[in-house]
Amino acid sequence: MSPSIEAEGLEEPEFKWVNKRGHGGSNKDVQFYESFTYDGVDYSLYDCVYMYKHDEPEQYIGKLLEIWENVDKSKKVKVQWFLRPSEISNYLRDTEVMENEIFLTSGDGVGLANVNPLEAVAGKCNVLCISMDSRNVQPSAEELQGAHYVFYRVFDVKSCEISNHLDDTVGGLPVKFVFKRNEGDRTLDIPTLGSNRKDDDRKVVACEETLKIFGQNPSEELKTVKLDGNSKNLMNRENTDLKKVPVKQERLVKSARKSVDLNGPPSKRAKLDDSVNFAKDKDISGMQNSIILGDVTEPLVMTSGNSSNATPTFVHDKNSVGPKNVVEVANSIVLDGGLAKTSVVSSKEAMKFGHATHSAGLEKDLKLDEDVNASEDRPSRTSVLRSKENTKPGHVRVREKNFVWPRKRVKFVEDSHALEETPRKEAEINNSIKLLKDNNENTIDELKDKSGGIEMMNLWTSINPKEYKTKSKLPNNSSGSDKGPFMEYHEETISKHYNGNLSKSLAVASKSSEERPRKESKVDGSIKFSEDKNKNTIEKLKNKYVGIETKNLQTSINSKEDDSKSKLANNFSGLEKGSVMEYHNETVSKFSLGNIPGSLVAASKSSEERPQKEAMADGSIKISKDKNKNTIEKLKDKSGGFVNSKEDKTKSKLANNSSRLDKGSSLEYRNEAIRNFSDDNLAKSLVAASRSSEERPRKEADIDDSDKLSKDKNKNTMQKCKDKFGGIKTKNVPKVVDSKEEITKSKLANNSNGLDKGSSMVHNEKVSKLSNDNLSRSLIAASKSSGERPQKEARVDDSHELSKDKNKNTMQNFKDKISGIDTKNLSKAVDSKEENNKSKLANNSSGLDKGYSREYHNEKKSQLSSGSLSKSLANGSKSDDQKIGGQIFEVTRRPVVDKSTWLRVPWEQQMQGAHDQGTLVLLQNLDPEYTSREVEDIIWHAFKENCEAKMVQRTAVSCPNSGQAFAIFKTKEITERVVKKLDDGCLMLPNQRPLVGWAGVVPRLPGKQTTFVGHLAIDKDKRQIQREMKNAVSAAHYSQANTLEHEMAMEWCLLQSISDAWWNKLYENTAPRAATMSALLL
Amino acid sequence: MDSSSEEYAAFREKVKRTIYVDNMSPLVTEVVVKASFNQFGNVTNVQFIPTYLEPKTMPRAALVEMENSNQARIIIAEMENYPLMISGMPRPVRARAAEMEMFDDRPRKPGRRIQCRWLEPKDPDFEVAKKIKQVVKRHAAEASFLLEQQLAEEAKLGNQQAETLKANYRKYRLIDGLNEDGTVRKLAQFYKMPVSDA
């Protein structure tokens, strides 16, 4: 070991030897070195270097195995190669390769290593070994970031296989030189050879053989290496362990963030660990992220490790007496109407918070998933909130009692078992609202939003401590902004955005006799103002809310009297009269009003129990601006508010929801745009009967009113549009007269949407469409026990849409004045002890179609027969063909038919038989997404006939927007009737698809075919081909270029693409044709 | 509800790892397809798509489910570049990514609601709907016409290629024959040209 320095003042860039190693054995003139300096860079053995590649921009990467100088002063290096994925792409197949991953060669053979002139070294390359092997020192995040390339797998040059297993030697190279080395190790590693002459001698010999050196090393050296390796391993291991710990934690944090299960038992943790390991394997680049995130999320994870009870930072209070929970609600949390519904029925829900802010100040995005497993037997209520965010959130799972209030502004007010208290909760919307970073920051800067005030009052009156069945209460105030920086929502600062109050109240009956009903109301008023990306629009935007008040008043008067009249929920969410929204801009705005009141009343189970009532009111106002500049000049909205009130009289009135824009409220649109006004009213009420004889009915009312005013993008279409809505009134008056029914589930939906007389709409030159969909459904399920009563479900969905067309020239002056649109749905379910229930469902849909207005008054009488498990659909009446018309029915699953699947004839056979008997029908113009079962369901609901259907599977030449199906009916008569009915009438499927039916289609069943167009054979060779057929692999091959076969194959490819073009052209033509046709509809 | 959406998600995954292969000979069997594609990955399932509506000469199509979506993707990309012959030449098979609607056993899309209604004859939409129905029928007719045309084109190309092949074959046979019966050698001798043994 003589650290001699020889100056090499030769040609080229600066070069000098640094450390000598020894002389070659047989040829004493060969001088080995272990390090040198070249062009100012220090190289030593086992460094990874770039090697010049001839004429190629991409350089080779290799590891220096040997460095020596020959007698003729030529300097050589022996290099073991790293391979880029592109170099071995043939062998990669579907192996996942990281972006900067390379592969070390291993094994024995050509391509493993080469001797190159030293001058070919182009520079140092930082290749990091990230092998999970315990012998490897795990790299830190910084190192990862600094690495040019990483590797953990080797490529065997002989077998051409990739493996991540590292033996003791890799291609002859001791594995310790493969792994990442600690800095301190270097000096230890390298000099060993220098002192050992014998080894050196052999080395030289080996060297001259260039390849396979290490494989032939004497055992002596191997031993030393091994010993060395072991000690090294020990050392490394310690280091590794030390290093691993933080890494693991970080990982854990990361994975924990993905699925934080606060309730997680210890086993969860173990799982997390597993996933950590897994993550290590796979996700290396992601590590940095996790590290960054780690610190922040750690406390969260720690809590997750704890038992389920401990969530100190979270608001979870079992006996909380009037807790005041301030939670921040994420940007735009949209409560799923349907979700609320399902939360009642099925208590399993998922809760997602996009931007949730932990009160502790964690500032990451999490998605909260709450799985509510709590069925009715759980004391704790589970609440489900589903929020949709504009941004991408992470996921956090919360189970039951564990509430993670993570991340950005989520307000989550949770109420637990409040004993006779009237906790009041105020949701304050905190300042920390992050507006997603907009593209236009300037615009937002100039935005001034003033809100007079937001008051949300939730008054809770809950009488009854010991309820077991409370499911969920969520008052959620969400205020968010779509785009923009932070916004402040302090009383007078409202901004654009989203203000949501969600209130839901679920009351579930108490189980004990003494229990009181519990009432909860949640009010959710959400106001969304979303601004556009346009600068100009936002600059000019001034929103002033003088005041937004959301009041939830719940008064539940309930004592031990049976007839208790109680006003359950008064939800008052509104823009009060004073409130003025001014849009001094020219943008398009969407104004949507949504009220979702829902009331759930769950009956008590014991005789003494009182009914519980729940009211949910959700008023949401969305004002979003569109991209148009010039559309709206002023929007003045003076809307008194939404009044949602619910009165519950146990025997008479269940729910009254009225939401309105007061008369004073006027919306003025002076714009040149097209607007869509859609008014959706969804009202649902569920009445679920109590189960015992004494039980009270349970009622649920879910009303969703949403009005959307959306403007279109057309600029020049409308000169001035002034719309004044005198008022929008929504009254929902469901009456359920129910006495002692045992099981009654009824959804009663009453929607009355009125544009009051004063309201005049649509002064424009546009075609406006108003589509009204009324959906009503009544489900009657018979009770199962003798005493039970039938269940009723009625759902009415009213949606009004005013949508304007884009055609300019269609109508010059179009003035539609709707003096009034009244939609009243009165549903009464009167059920006493009779078996037949009569339910009147009135569905009103009023539509404007080119001045045409329609009203559908559907009165349905549905007969319910107890004891039968049949659903009766309102329009599924037994009427004959003539009677149909106008009604909308929802296709649900048809009742179970006798399908003895084990005796089923193959479809083709069935179809052939059906064709022979004339019972085969081809249905066309279906949504291609439908499944065969769904087609059967449609047929069942439309014709009350069972059939066997089969969707025609799509092929390359199928029409992409129209599906076909075969249907087989039972008899020819039925078939003829169905076809006739389809022919004469019009069965409208969703998306404006009238169903078309054809009889007499001849199905082409696959038959024997021996020839195939395009497969050629010379007669003589036919036999041989058949022989080849048996050996399929030889029959399936890529054709080689320069053969006749290939030439012909190319001709086929050409034809294929030509015919593809035909089909595309065809469907390009047909699609708009169909579209224009359906545009003529409603 | 959970199970159905799970099922649906699983199905979507399945679609992703499936290749739609068409332009296949009716002689091709499941075994052949499986063996063919096993060259490039692991086939887990093969399902032929029946074509009840198309003419009998319609080439067969199949859904080939691979082990994972990556394999499927790579195979599709490769087959775009190189014509693959299965059980015959020279017409290559063609591969595409499968779509949900191609599957017979697809599950219901969770949460889909289908609402239908009968239009009343006095409804102004009624006439429009009637027209749409006509259009639908017309489109179907157009499609089947185009398909016929396509098949005719294919047949034409097939015949043309058969002719070419036959001509080529005859040519080589002729040359072979000349070699065999010594005509070539005689001619070479006659013209005093050196001819190497073919």
Side-chain angles (χ1 to χ4, degrees):
Chain A
M1 261 221 52
S2 55
S4 69
I5 298 171
E6 290 183 19
E8 278 280 328
L10 286 184
E11 60 289 5
E12 297 200 357
E14 172 206 358
F15 177 87
K16 66 181 176 185
W17 295 111
V18 181
N19 281 343
K20 258 188 204 172
R21 260 193 137 190
H23 287 280
S26 62
N27 188 350
K28 298 284 182 193
D29 298 326
V30 175
Q31 174 67 54
F32 283 88
Y33 296 91
E34 66 185 35
S35 57
F36 62 91
T37 304
Y38 183 62
D39 203 9
V41 184
D42 292 324
Y43 299 91
S44 45
L45 279 181
Y46 311 116
D47 274 352
C48 297
V49 294
Y50 286 115
M51 301 290 285
Y52 276 119
K53 195 175 178 182
H54 249 313
D55 301 330
E56 301 251 354
E58 280 224 320
Q59 290 148 346
Y60 288 119
I61 302 163
K63 204 175 191 50
L64 294 177
L65 297 184
E66 298 283 334
I67 308 165
W68 73 90
E69 188 180 33
N70 290 324
V71 197
D72 57 359
K73 293 292 176 194
S74 63
K75 297 177 281 291
K76 298 287 182 190
V77 289
K78 188 188 174 201
V79 174
Q80 183 170 357
W81 299 114
F82 285 100
L83 299 175
R84 295 176 198 268
S86 56
E87 295 172 277
I88 51 171
S89 55
N90 282 345
Y91 306 103
L92 280 177
R93 294 262 162 121
D94 56 333
T95 313
E96 294 284 343
V97 181
M98 281 180 286
E99 194 185 0
N100 60 343
E101 184 182 345
I102 52 178
F103 299 87
L104 183 63
T105 52
S106 75
D108 193 4
V110 180
L112 176 74
N114 280 110
V115 175
N116 290 279
L118 187 143
E119 288 75 18
V121 173
K124 243 184 175 169
C125 177
N126 189 358
V127 178
L128 202 53
C129 178
I130 54 167
S131 170
M132 295 307 292
D133 195 300
S134 60
R135 294 166 290 181
N136 188 30
V137 180
Q138 293 302 311
S140 69
E142 295 83 35
E143 286 171 328
L144 269 178
Q145 206 139 28
H148 297 140
Y149 293 95
V150 297
F151 84 97
Y152 66 96
R153 288 183 285 196
V154 295
F155 179 78
D156 192 308
V157 293
K158 199 170 185 184
S159 61
C160 296
E161 277 171 358
I162 291 163
S163 139
N164 57 4
H165 177 70
L166 295 170
D167 288 326
D168 286 343
T169 61
V170 177
L173 179 69
V175 76
K176 65 170 175 172
F177 298 125
V178 171
F179 291 132
K180 176 181 170 309
R181 285 171 292 161
N182 283 335
E183 285 304 314
D185 295 342
R186 276 177 185 248
T187 50
L188 293 175
D189 290 343
I190 300 166
T192 49
L193 292 179
S195 58
N196 194 339
R197 282 253 158 182
K198 282 183 181 175
D199 276 350
D200 284 346
D201 293 346
R202 292 192 182 96
K203 268 274 142 122
V204 172
V205 176
C207 230
E208 283 167 355
E209 296 174 11
T210 58
L211 300 177
K212 303 179 184 177
I213 313 170
F214 280 92
Q216 294 171 0
N217 274 344
S219 57
E220 212 179 332
E221 192 194 326
L222 280 179
K223 268 181 194 170
T224 61
V225 170
K226 263 187 183 170
L227 281 176
D228 201 37
N230 282 338
S231 60
K232 199 101 306 157
N233 280 344
L234 284 176
M235 284 179 60
N236 282 355
R237 204 166 273 173
E238 279 185 4
N239 288 332
T240 311
D241 286 344
L242 285 178
K243 285 199 173 180
K244 264 187 183 174
V245 172
V247 172
K248 261 194 181 173
Q249 272 192 349
E250 287 149 8
R251 292 273 167 168
L252 193 115
V253 169
K254 192 191 177 190
S255 60
R257 292 191 69 235
K258 282 182 182 165
S259 62
V260 173
D261 189 343
L262 289 185
N263 211 358
S267 64
K268 269 274 155 149
R269 240 201 168 171
K271 214 177 177 183
L272 283 179
D273 273 334
D274 286 342
S275 64
V276 167
N277 286 333
F278 180 69
K280 269 191 180 176
D281 277 337
K282 279 213 158 183
D283 187 7
I284 285 161
S285 58
M287 204 150 113
Q288 294 126 3
N289 291 334
S290 70
I291 289 165
I292 297 166
L293 299 178
D295 290 337
V296 187
T297 44
E298 203 157 359
L300 190 67
V301 176
M302 293 312 286
T303 54
S304 78
N306 290 339
S307 69
S308 58
N309 289 332
T311 53
T313 51
F314 306 141
V315 182
H316 172 68
D317 199 353
K318 275 195 174 181
N319 299 321
S320 67
V321 178
K324 200 170 182 178
N325 298 330
V326 178
V327 188
E328 299 166 354
V329 180
N331 278 349
S332 58
I333 293 180
V334 179
L335 189 130
D336 248 11
L339 214 151
K341 200 196 315 169
T342 50
S343 74
V344 178
V345 180
S346 72
S347 56
K348 223 175 187 179
E349 288 291 358
M351 177 177 177
K352 290 177 185 173
F353 285 85
H355 283 214
T357 310
H358 189 292
S359 60
L362 301 176
E363 292 196 4
K364 296 295 163 186
D365 297 342
L366 288 185
K367 234 191 200 172
L368 249 196
D369 269 3
E370 177 161 342
D371 286 338
V372 178
N373 291 328
S375 48
E376 308 222 330
D377 51 352
R378 303 245 175 141
S380 68
R381 66 275 98 126
T382 56
S383 57
V384 177
L385 228 201
R386 195 175 275 175
S387 70
K388 286 183 182 174
E389 298 245 53
N390 298 329
T391 53
K392 294 177 184 173
H395 285 260
V396 177
R397 256 199 203 159
V398 181
R399 239 179 227 188
E400 291 203 355
K401 295 181 182 177
N402 305 319
F403 295 97
V404 176
W405 314 116
R407 311 348 164 83
K408 300 167 187 172
R409 70 230 89 207
V410 168
K411 262 196 186 177
F412 194 89
V413 179
E414 232 237 332
D415 194 8
S416 58
H417 310 265
L419 307 179
E420 310 227 342
E421 301 121 15
T422 58
R424 177 180 173 175
K425 296 176 182 178
E426 283 189 9
E428 290 182 9
I429 302 162
N430 278 342
N431 293 337
S432 65
I433 289 172
K434 239 191 193 175
L435 302 181
L436 306 182
K437 284 183 183 177
D438 206 356
N439 295 333
N440 299 319
E441 289 187 357
N442 299 329
T443 62
I444 301 165
D445 288 340
E446 296 177 11
L447 173 74
K448 294 179 182 178
D449 289 329
K450 292 182 182 180
S451 69
I454 299 177
E455 285 188 19
M456 296 171 179
M457 296 172 71
N458 295 323
L459 294 178
W460 299 77
T461 305
S462 67
I463 307 169
N464 198 353
K466 293 182 181 177
E467 296 174 347
Y468 285 103
K469 286 186 177 179
T470 2
K471 284 182 182 174
S472 68
K473 304 170 191 173
L474 293 178
N476 291 324
N477 291 322
S478 69
S479 38
S481 60
D482 280 341
K483 292 168 184 177
F486 279 70
M487 300 234 25
E488 294 189 5
Y489 269 61
H490 255 301
E491 297 218 348
E492 291 192 358
T493 65
I494 281 191
S495 35
K496 18 175 175 179
H497 311 300
Y498 176 93
N499 184 358
N501 298 322
L502 209 197
S503 72
K504 212 181 14 170
S505 71
L506 288 174
V508 185
S510 57
K511 284 184 178 176
S512 68
S513 61
E514 301 288 335
E515 287 172 358
R516 298 289 185 283
R518 181 176 173 180
K519 296 166 184 178
E520 297 173 359
S521 73
K522 292 174 186 177
V523 175
D524 181 5
S526 66
I527 299 174
K528 237 194 195 176
F529 286 68
S530 64
E531 267 85 7
D532 207 15
K533 292 177 183 174
N534 270 332
K535 289 185 179 180
N536 299 328
T537 60
I538 301 171
E539 285 177 2
K540 294 177 180 177
L541 173 73
K542 294 178 182 179
N543 291 329
K544 295 178 182 180
Y545 297 131
V546 174
I548 296 176
E549 284 192 16
T550 306
K551 290 182 181 179
N552 297 323
L553 295 177
Q554 277 194 352
T555 308
S556 66
I557 303 169
N558 195 354
S559 55
K560 293 179 181 178
E561 301 173 1
D562 278 337
D563 292 334
S564 64
K565 293 180 180 178
S566 63
K567 288 183 179 178
L568 244 201
N570 288 324
N571 290 325
F572 201 99
S573 45
L575 295 172
E576 293 210 7
K577 281 193 175 182
S579 69
V580 178
M581 300 178 183
E582 288 188 9
Y583 288 76
H584 289 280
N585 55 14
E586 301 175 357
T587 59
V588 184
S589 67
K590 286 183 183 176
F591 181 71
S592 74
L593 278 179
N595 293 324
I596 305 176
S599 73
L600 282 178
V601 178
S604 56
K605 285 187 176 179
S606 67
S607 61
E608 301 285 337
E609 288 173 358
R610 295 294 179 276
Q612 291 186 0
K613 295 162 186 179
E614 297 175 359
M616 231 182 79
D618 180 5
S620 67
I621 300 174
K622 284 185 187 175
I623 297 181
S624 64
K625 270 124 239 157
D626 218 5
K627 292 178 182 175
N628 267 333
K629 292 183 180 179
N630 304 321
T631 50
I632 296 180
E633 289 193 1
K634 280 189 180 182
L635 172 68
K636 290 183 182 178
D637 198 19
K638 298 175 182 178
S639 68
F642 309 97
V643 180
N644 295 326
S645 64
K646 291 185 178 179
E647 293 183 4
D648 258 10
K649 296 174 183 179
T650 41
K651 283 192 177 180
S652 57
K653 289 184 179 178
L654 248 197
N656 284 326
N657 280 326
S658 68
S659 46
R660 62 181 167 183
L661 291 172
D662 280 344
K663 280 193 174 181
S665 68
S666 64
L667 300 174
E668 289 190 12
Y669 296 96
R670 293 177 190 173
N671 55 12
E672 303 173 358
I674 303 174
R675 284 170 291 117
N676 293 328
F677 176 78
S678 70
D679 187 1
D680 296 331
N681 293 322
L682 219 192
K684 245 195 314 181
S685 70
L686 275 179
V687 178
S690 55
R691 288 187 181 174
S692 67
S693 60
E694 303 284 339
E695 286 173 359
R696 294 291 178 278
R698 181 174 171 180
K699 294 161 187 181
E700 285 184 356
D702 203 303
I703 297 175
D704 180 4
D705 290 336
S706 67
D707 299 340
K708 284 184 185 175
L709 295 176
S710 63
K711 272 113 234 160
D712 214 5
K713 292 178 182 175
N714 272 330
K715 290 184 180 179
N716 303 320
T717 52
M718 298 178 71
Q719 286 294 329
K720 282 188 179 181
C721 172
K722 295 180 181 180
D723 289 333
K724 295 179 182 179
F725 299 130
I728 297 175
K729 286 186 181 179
T730 305
K731 289 182 181 179
N732 296 320
V733 183
K735 290 183 182 180
V736 175
V737 181
D738 189 349
S739 54
K740 295 179 181 176
E741 300 176 357
E742 291 182 357
I743 296 180
T744 309
K745 284 185 183 177
S746 69
K747 289 184 181 177
L748 298 175
N750 292 324
N751 277 331
S752 66
N753 300 325
L755 295 173
D756 279 343
K757 282 191 174 182
S759 68
S760 64
M761 297 189 45
V762 190
H763 292 265
N764 56 14
E765 301 175 359
K766 283 286 159 181
V767 181
S768 68
K769 289 183 183 177
L770 185 142
S771 71
N772 242 338
D773 295 330
N774 292 324
L775 210 199
S776 70
R777 192 173 58 152
S778 71
L779 285 176
I780 300 169
S783 56
K784 287 180 180 177
S785 65
S786 61
E788 288 172 356
R789 293 294 181 276
Q791 296 182 354
K792 300 167 185 178
E793 283 187 2
R795 244 176 73 186
V796 177
D797 182 4
D798 288 339
S799 65
H800 302 255
E801 278 186 9
L802 294 176
S803 63
K804 272 114 232 161
D805 211 2
K806 291 177 183 174
N807 277 329
K808 291 183 180 179
N809 303 321
T810 50
M811 299 181 73
Q812 284 296 327
N813 290 321
F814 176 59
K815 293 181 182 180
D816 283 334
K817 294 181 182 179
I818 302 170
S819 58
I821 298 174
D822 285 335
T823 306
K824 290 181 181 178
N825 296 321
L826 296 176
S827 66
K828 293 179 183 179
V830 181
D831 192 347
S832 53
K833 292 178 182 177
E834 301 172 359
E835 289 186 353
N836 293 333
N837 291 328
K838 293 179 180 177
S839 66
K840 285 186 179 178
L841 296 175
N843 296 325
N844 291 327
S845 68
S846 20
L848 276 180
D849 187 9
K850 294 181 182 180
Y852 173 78
S853 69
R854 272 185 264 150
E855 287 191 9
Y856 292 111
H857 278 281
N858 296 327
E859 289 192 4
K860 299 162 191 171
K861 290 182 181 179
S862 56
Q863 286 190 348
L864 312 177
S865 62
S866 66
S868 71
L869 265 177
S870 68
K871 300 172 184 174
S872 77
L873 290 170
N875 57 354
S877 54
K878 295 173 182 175
S879 61
D880 286 330
D881 297 355
Q882 308 90 4
K883 208 181 165 185
I884 54 172
Q887 309 146 351
I888 295 177
F889 55 91
E890 172 130 9
V891 173
T892 55
R893 305 223 177 172
R894 63 174 173 167
V896 183
V897 254
D898 50 335
K899 276 194 177 173
S900 42
T901 48
W902 53 90
L903 277 180
R904 266 178 123 179
V905 195
W907 174 257
E908 279 159 21
Q909 215 172 313
Q910 266 185 312
M911 200 164 59
Q912 188 59 56
H915 176 247
D916 294 343
Q917 291 162 20
T919 56
L920 183 68
V921 174
L922 177 67
L923 301 171
Q924 288 175 318
N925 206 24
L926 289 158
D927 188 325
E929 282 189 357
Y930 290 162
T931 64
S932 304
R933 297 288 89 76
E934 279 169 320
V935 174
E936 288 173 5
D937 293 341
I938 290 172
I939 297 298
W940 161 252
H941 287 299
F943 303 100
K944 289 284 161 287
E945 296 295 347
N946 275 318
C947 72
E948 291 256 336
K950 190 179 180 66
M951 284 295 289
V952 175
Q953 288 166 264
R954 176 184 287 183
T955 63
V957 297
S958 304
C959 180
N961 38 33
S962 169
Q964 305 184 99
F966 286 107
I968 298 176
F969 292 89
K970 284 207 174 118
T971 65
K972 195 175 180 183
E973 288 69 39
I974 295 173
T975 314
E976 281 166 355
R977 189 169 64 85
V978 166
V979 172
K980 186 170 184 299
K981 208 165 149 187
L982 273 179
D983 232 16
D984 295 342
C986 278
L987 178 61
M988 292 298 281
L989 304 182
N991 297 327
Q992 316 287 14
R993 292 174 183 274
L995 188 64
V996 177
W998 278 68
V1001 178
V1002 187
R1004 292 176 179 88
L1005 300 175
K1008 270 275 177 185
Q1009 245 185 312
T1010 48
T1011 57
F1012 178 60
V1013 174
H1015 279 186
L1016 306 178
I1018 297 154
D1019 298 339
K1020 201 176 152 192
D1021 293 344
K1022 256 186 182 163
R1023 255 201 192 157
Q1024 192 191 340
I1025 285 172
Q1026 276 171 358
R1027 218 175 301 131
E1028 274 180 6
M1029 282 280 295
K1030 284 174 189 161
N1031 187 358
V1033 173
S1034 74
H1037 61 276
Y1038 286 128
S1039 77
Q1040 302 295 316
N1042 281 333
T1043 61
L1044 185 62
E1045 174 206 37
H1046 187 265
E1047 211 169 276
M1048 289 180 167
M1050 284 299 131
E1051 285 175 8
W1052 279 104
C1053 289
L1054 180 67
L1055 181 61
Q1056 280 170 2
S1057 40
I1058 288 174
S1059 48
D1060 270 352
W1062 293 339
W1063 287 106
N1064 285 339
K1065 190 80 185 164
L1066 177 74
Y1067 292 132
E1068 262 171 33
N1069 286 339
T1070 56
R1073 215 184 294 152
T1076 46
M1077 288 302 286
S1078 53
L1080 293 176
L1081 292 169
L1082 269 189
Chain B
M1 171 168 181
D2 272 0
S3 67
S4 76
S5 56
E6 261 167 39
E7 186 192 359
Y8 193 70
F11 171 68
R12 288 174 65 138
E13 283 310 306
K14 181 181 166 190
V15 172
K16 276 186 202 151
R17 58 175 184 263
T18 304
I19 312 171
Y20 168 82
V21 184
D22 64 359
N23 275 291
M24 279 196 300
S25 156
L27 296 176
V28 173
T29 61
E30 189 178 324
V31 181
V32 173
V33 176
K34 213 167 201 168
S36 303
F37 284 91
N38 267 333
Q39 293 177 97
F40 320 116
N42 292 326
V43 178
T44 56
N45 191 23
V46 174
Q47 204 186 343
F48 284 99
I49 297 180
T51 50
Y52 301 125
L53 290 169
E54 283 87 5
K56 273 200 168 143
T57 47
M58 187 76 187
R60 291 190 90 176
L63 296 167
V64 182
E65 186 184 342
M66 303 303 293
E67 201 173 39
N68 57 48
S69 58
N70 213 12
Q71 281 181 2
R73 200 167 39 81
I74 288 169
I75 292 173
I76 291 168
E78 253 173 37
M79 285 177 67
E80 225 162 66
N81 295 329
Y82 307 101
L84 177 71
M85 318 284 162
I86 296 181
S87 294
M89 300 179 289
R91 183 172 180 178
V93 298
R94 184 177 54 169
R96 287 182 178 183
E99 292 161 50
M100 290 200 188
E101 289 81 10
M102 293 171 172
F103 288 81
D104 188 36
D105 52 352
R106 57 181 183 265
R108 278 170 202 262
K109 191 176 184 178
R112 173 162 54 213
R113 289 167 61 196
I114 304 173
Q115 299 172 0
C116 308
R117 77 187 153 121
W118 286 98
L119 287 182
E120 281 171 298
K122 61 184 179 209
D123 193 314
D125 284 349
F126 191 81
E127 287 310 311
V128 183
K130 282 242 160 195
K131 274 180 199 152
I132 293 180
K133 278 157 76 171
Q134 291 306 316
V135 169
V136 168
K137 285 179 184 170
R138 194 174 132 205
H139 288 172
E142 281 173 357
S144 71
F145 174 75
L146 179 56
L147 185 63
E148 246 167 56
Q149 290 300 304
Q150 185 192 332
L151 292 176
E153 282 294 324
E154 283 167 0
K156 205 169 119 194
L157 180 61
N159 288 333
Q160 191 185 319
Q161 288 189 344
E163 288 306 313
T164 314
L165 184 67
K166 243 183 244 168
N168 268 294
Y169 181 66
R170 244 183 270 128
K171 188 172 78 190
Y172 288 120
R173 280 288 297 275
L174 183 68
I175 294 173
D176 266 3
L178 290 176
N179 266 326
E180 271 168 21
D181 63 9
T183 315
V184 175
R185 218 177 309 130
K186 281 178 198 161
L187 281 172
Q189 278 173 357
F190 183 79
Y191 290 109
K192 299 198 168 68
M193 285 175 69
V195 171
S196 60
D197 283 339

